[in-house]
Amino acid sequence: MTTEAQERKEEWDAPAPGDDVCPTPDPVNEEPPLDRFCDIVLTGGVASGVVYPWAIVEIARAFRFRSIGGTSVGAMAAALAAAAEYGRRTGHQSPFEVLRRLPAALGEPVDGKTRMFSLFQTKPAGKRIMEVWGKLGTGISVPELGRAQVVGAVFSVYRSAGVWGALVGLLVAALFFGWVIGIAFAFALSMVLGAALGFVLGIVIAIGKDLLYGVIRNNLGLCAGGTTEETGSDGKRRPGLVEWLHEGIQRSAGLKSTDPPLTFRDLWCAPLYPGGPRQKCSGQDAPDRRSIDLQAITTNVTLGRPYRLPLTDRRSRLYFKRKELEDYFPKVVLDALVRAARPYPPHNTDPPPGRVDADLLELPGSGMPIVVAARLSLSFPLLFSAVPLWALDHEQERGKRDLKRCLFSDGGVSSNFPVHMFDEALPRWPTFGLWLDRRNPYMPEQRIFFPRYHEQGWGDSWNRFDPDAAGPGVPGYKNQGFKYLVGFLMALVTGGISWRDRVSFRLPHVRNRVARLLLKPGEGGLNIAMPRDKILRMAHEYGTKVGQMFVERFADVDGKPSRDWGEQRWVRMQVMLEGLRERLEGFRTSAEWAKHTVPMSQAIREAIKVPPVRDRRPDQHKELTPSQAKSLEQLLAAVQKLEVELDEAESSFSPVPRPELRLRSPL
């Protein structure tokens, strides 16, 4: 073992620190029943993700993870949880140790900051901006930041640029203003003004240059995710975020960092229980046939829509160039990604000459390393560089199949809490959701809100930037003009991003499985330089507590089914029936409608002679066979009968709010 590998091993295998700050969870030695599963969905939140590891550890004591999903930092934690479950299924002795040690490892002192901050590595042009971020991101909420703090942080980092600017200002003042005025006082004043103006302009120019080369030309982000700093002040190597995450995934799965990276196919084909046989699986299998189903959400900013990873929609294929991803992933991950990929295959008509680069490879599905999916989801705008991928441009004239570059950003931009990701009409095991929310100003001591009764949890969480929305003892921004504006703009952004999520977990079949972690200002978020004690306290006060809460409520005891789990299944069944009732309301009347059209029963009979749907390819114009028409008529009659039965059925359950069933395109 090399010295570098030994250092990395010692770091992970060292006794778990943190007991001096808060209780550290015991190792996961429990063996849940072989058939007691759960799904879990984790929301995004950058540094707030420090609450997830110990929550996962506590849940793992009583449940085996079957489906795991997340967005942004939630995808990062989901990948580690999936790897740990894979390690447990394949006989690894300590699969959850990485997660158990993670908060303490993130809080470890490194070069005057924490290891968490050291993972956010930039190119030289972005180092000063990251240094400013580090001075401000130690646990202070954005609205609470004073102008003096921001200005002080900027001046302390860019003072050398300001000094050079001041020297230039002095020289300009001396050459052009002092001799013209010719008066000692005026000369001195011009020198002072020139130096002051030069100092400010020097800083402004330096910041502009850093933004241009450190952010804009770095694919619109400070950190690509790869390793750019070879060693720290102690001479030890400092891995970047993605390399560090890759090591954690491999160790959780019982693999070496130099082994082929853990892939989605490995998860899908894992044994159903420790010591069991590996499952037969393929990329075409339905998600419910996967042994461990990991999914993550990313956002294609160019196309303005989310993608679900790994890709399963064949009409949403993506491509990549290895050279463009070298700053994002370590070599071992890129090598595996290229091996699993295939060249772009032109279909029907060849692209115009020179429009398809020979270096383009199709992004794999089941063969994709899971760390790649986590990084695609973890792309917080401006902090992380957008990931360049390529897709077919269907707006070209017919016959052309040009591939053009798309930029992928944080999955939270389009779907920050995909709690519906693994939903079934009637689940066989529970789905746990963890939502990162803000502290209720009227209940400042409440850290976790998890509805105990059915009528709880449907209320909204307020953005209280408006002074008229703040009650007694709750500060508004009436006399803080600039902060009032910032609060309004932040509320606009968060409302546009998370309204779907907030609407969904008001529903009765969602809110009874979602725990809201009510973070205080300055906890998590963009505060990537939080001190060690805050990281550990957040992990314990939110993570450990909510994990224990899920186990207490949903795990059966002494063979007796959990009351909460039984209630959730009951509510899910009733909501599904109510949703069908709402969706089928008026179906029979519409099916028999004959104004300016024909009834659907007649349309089915006519489809035997005339193709019901046109296609631009003549060979795709197909009439119904008599047996197909008969099946459709029977289905139509069954749905009409179901509408009547649902309308006439009596139920004591009235969901609030009433759910709506809608169709949408796959992600």
Side-chain angles (χ1 to χ4, degrees):
M1 181 180 295
T2 65
T3 302
E4 176 186 315
Q6 181 65 37
E7 288 175 352
R8 304 298 299 150
K9 184 176 187 300
E10 290 174 355
E11 174 188 321
W12 287 109
D13 291 345
D19 289 311
D20 57 319
V21 176
C22 64
T24 301
D26 294 329
V28 179
N29 296 319
E30 294 84 353
E31 282 293 336
L34 298 182
D35 56 355
R36 188 197 284 161
F37 298 107
C38 76
D39 300 339
I40 187 169
V41 178
L42 308 171
T43 187
V46 194
S48 305
V50 299
V51 305
Y52 290 145
W54 289 356
I56 294 169
V57 163
E58 294 302 327
I59 294 171
R61 301 185 195 280
F63 292 90
R64 300 182 186 276
F65 296 108
R66 188 64 178 267
S67 298
I68 312 162
T71 296
S72 190
V73 71
M76 180 177 171
L80 287 167
E85 184 61 36
Y86 174 87
R88 175 157 64 179
R89 305 270 189 96
T90 54
H92 180 36
Q93 293 300 311
S94 304
F96 290 93
E97 273 300 281
V98 168
L99 282 161
R100 190 175 79 92
R101 301 175 190 272
L102 198 56
L106 290 172
E108 179 187 1
V110 175
D111 294 337
K113 293 288 185 181
T114 60
R115 177 170 297 281
M116 180 165 68
F117 185 74
S118 78
L119 297 175
F120 296 85
Q121 298 182 9
T122 71
K123 291 184 176 180
K127 287 187 179 298
R128 289 187 294 193
I129 297 178
M130 183 56 70
E131 189 177 347
V132 172
W133 200 316
K135 290 179 178 297
L136 298 176
T138 56
I140 303 173
S141 65
V142 173
E144 290 182 341
L145 281 174
R147 283 188 289 271
Q149 292 171 296
V150 176
V151 172
V154 171
F155 276 18
S156 67
V157 173
Y158 284 90
R159 60 180 175 272
S160 61
V163 169
W164 280 107
L167 292 176
V168 173
L170 283 171
L171 180 61
V172 171
L175 291 176
F176 293 98
F177 294 101
W179 298 108
V180 173
I181 296 173
I183 302 174
F185 175 76
F187 177 76
L189 179 62
S190 66
M191 295 289 284
V192 171
L193 291 176
L197 182 60
F199 185 84
V200 173
L201 284 177
I203 290 178
V204 170
I205 292 171
I207 292 175
K209 182 181 176 182
D210 287 354
L211 286 173
L212 177 61
Y213 293 100
V215 177
I216 298 174
R217 294 190 180 179
N218 194 39
N219 278 329
L220 301 169
L222 278 169
C223 311
T227 301
T228 61
E229 301 173 10
E230 290 300 323
T231 59
S233 60
D234 56 2
K236 292 185 178 180
R237 190 168 182 272
R238 298 280 184 259
L241 180 64
V242 176
E243 183 180 354
W244 189 77
L245 176 60
H246 166 66
E247 290 178 359
I249 288 173
Q250 295 293 97
R251 288 187 63 81
S252 297
L255 303 171
K256 298 178 181 178
S257 60
T258 54
D259 288 338
L262 187 69
T263 67
F264 284 95
R265 184 184 294 112
D266 294 329
L267 299 179
W268 298 353
C269 301
L272 291 177
Y273 51 88
R278 292 185 64 85
Q279 301 298 295
K280 294 181 179 180
C281 65
S282 71
Q284 287 70 46
D285 288 345
D288 63 354
R289 298 195 58 179
R290 300 169 183 170
S291 179
I292 303 171
D293 183 20
L294 171 67
Q295 297 185 28
I297 299 293
T298 184
T299 300
N300 187 332
V301 180
T302 307
L303 302 187
R305 72 175 180 91
Y307 278 67
R308 185 189 304 216
L309 300 172
L311 295 173
T312 56
D313 180 9
R314 297 304 300 164
R315 293 188 177 274
S316 297
R317 294 183 297 168
L318 296 171
Y319 305 86
F320 70 95
K321 293 182 181 181
R322 175 178 180 133
K323 186 176 182 180
E324 291 183 335
L325 300 183
E326 288 178 349
D327 290 337
Y328 293 78
F329 302 102
K331 183 178 182 298
V332 65
V333 173
L334 273 180
D335 289 344
L337 187 66
V338 171
R339 285 195 303 269
R342 61 176 184 172
Y344 165 71
H347 297 298
N348 301 329
T349 58
D350 290 332
R355 299 293 291 176
V356 175
D357 195 317
D359 294 334
L360 281 168
L361 300 172
E362 184 170 354
L363 195 70
S366 60
M368 181 195 297
I370 66 173
V371 69
V372 174
R375 173 60 185 88
L376 277 166
S377 184
L378 184 73
S379 297
F380 191 88
L382 301 184
L383 177 58
F384 288 106
S385 302
V387 182
L389 297 177
W390 295 68
L392 286 168
D393 185 352
H394 292 284
E395 291 186 335
Q396 299 291 293
E397 61 184 87
R398 185 179 300 177
K400 290 188 176 182
R401 299 177 64 84
D402 292 352
L403 285 168
K404 295 185 179 178
R405 199 174 80 151
C406 300
L407 291 180
F408 281 75
S409 190
D410 197 291
V413 172
S414 52
S415 182
N416 201 35
F417 187 48
V419 69
H420 57 277
M421 188 177 278
F422 309 116
D423 275 0
E424 298 176 349
L426 190 60
R428 289 169 287 174
W429 48 77
T431 297
F432 303 142
L434 275 71
W435 169 261
L436 300 173
D437 212 335
R438 67 181 65 85
R439 188 67 59 94
N440 183 345
Y442 296 104
M443 302 180 68
E445 300 305 317
Q446 185 180 34
R447 295 184 175 90
I448 301 171
F449 176 72
F450 193 5
R452 169 65 75 176
Y453 303 105
H454 167 67
E455 72 274 9
Q456 294 179 316
W458 57 265
D460 294 301
S461 177
W462 285 57
N463 288 310
R464 299 187 185 275
F465 63 89
D466 185 347
D468 287 334
V474 180
Y477 300 123
K478 180 179 293 185
N479 299 317
Q480 303 173 0
F482 181 72
K483 292 185 178 181
Y484 182 28
L485 174 62
V486 171
F488 174 70
L489 294 177
M490 290 179 62
L492 280 178
V493 172
T494 56
I497 290 174
S498 63
W499 71 267
R500 295 175 184 84
D501 305 322
R502 293 183 179 278
V503 167
S504 69
F505 65 63
R506 293 182 66 238
L507 293 169
H509 68 299
V510 176
R511 64 177 185 255
N512 62 358
R513 53 187 163 122
V514 174
R516 307 183 199 184
L517 308 183
L518 309 179
L519 306 181
K520 293 190 299 185
E523 290 184 332
L526 295 176
N527 296 298
I528 58 177
M530 289 188 301
R532 171 178 177 268
D533 61 338
K534 177 168 284 192
I535 292 173
L536 286 165
R537 290 188 189 282
M538 287 179 63
H540 172 68
E541 294 173 358
Y542 298 103
T544 299
K545 299 297 185 183
V546 77
Q548 293 172 345
M549 190 177 296
F550 278 123
V551 171
E552 176 189 343
R553 293 197 186 183
F554 287 92
D556 51 288
V557 179
D558 298 330
K560 296 181 180 180
S562 158
R563 175 69 183 270
D564 287 77
W565 174 220
E567 287 184 358
Q568 188 181 123
R569 277 173 52 87
W570 175 262
V571 171
R572 293 283 286 274
M573 180 188 70
Q574 296 286 355
V575 166
M576 185 265 296
L577 294 175
E578 184 63 28
L580 285 173
R581 180 183 291 113
E582 178 271 336
R583 190 61 174 165
L584 293 179
E585 192 172 7
F587 181 86
R588 184 174 184 180
T589 301
S590 297
E592 296 174 352
W593 191 260
K595 304 292 186 181
H596 311 291
T597 185
V598 297
M600 288 308 301
S601 56
Q602 179 182 340
I604 293 173
R605 292 191 297 270
E606 292 177 353
I608 298 176
K609 299 179 180 180
V610 180
V613 178
R614 293 173 296 174
D615 194 281
R616 68 186 181 192
R617 292 172 292 179
D619 60 316
Q620 296 298 313
H621 289 264
K622 294 183 179 179
E623 302 84 0
L624 294 183
T625 65
S627 62
Q628 290 173 333
K630 183 178 180 180
S631 295
L632 275 179
E633 288 178 330
Q634 292 173 343
L635 284 173
L636 181 64
V639 173
Q640 290 174 322
K641 181 180 179 183
L642 178 61
E643 179 196 355
V644 174
E645 292 178 348
L646 287 171
D647 188 54
E648 295 177 350
E650 295 183 5
S651 175
S652 60
F653 182 83
S654 180
V656 177
R658 189 185 184 195
E660 297 177 347
L661 293 182
R662 292 293 181 266
L663 300 177
R664 63 168 175 79
S665 175
L667 303 183

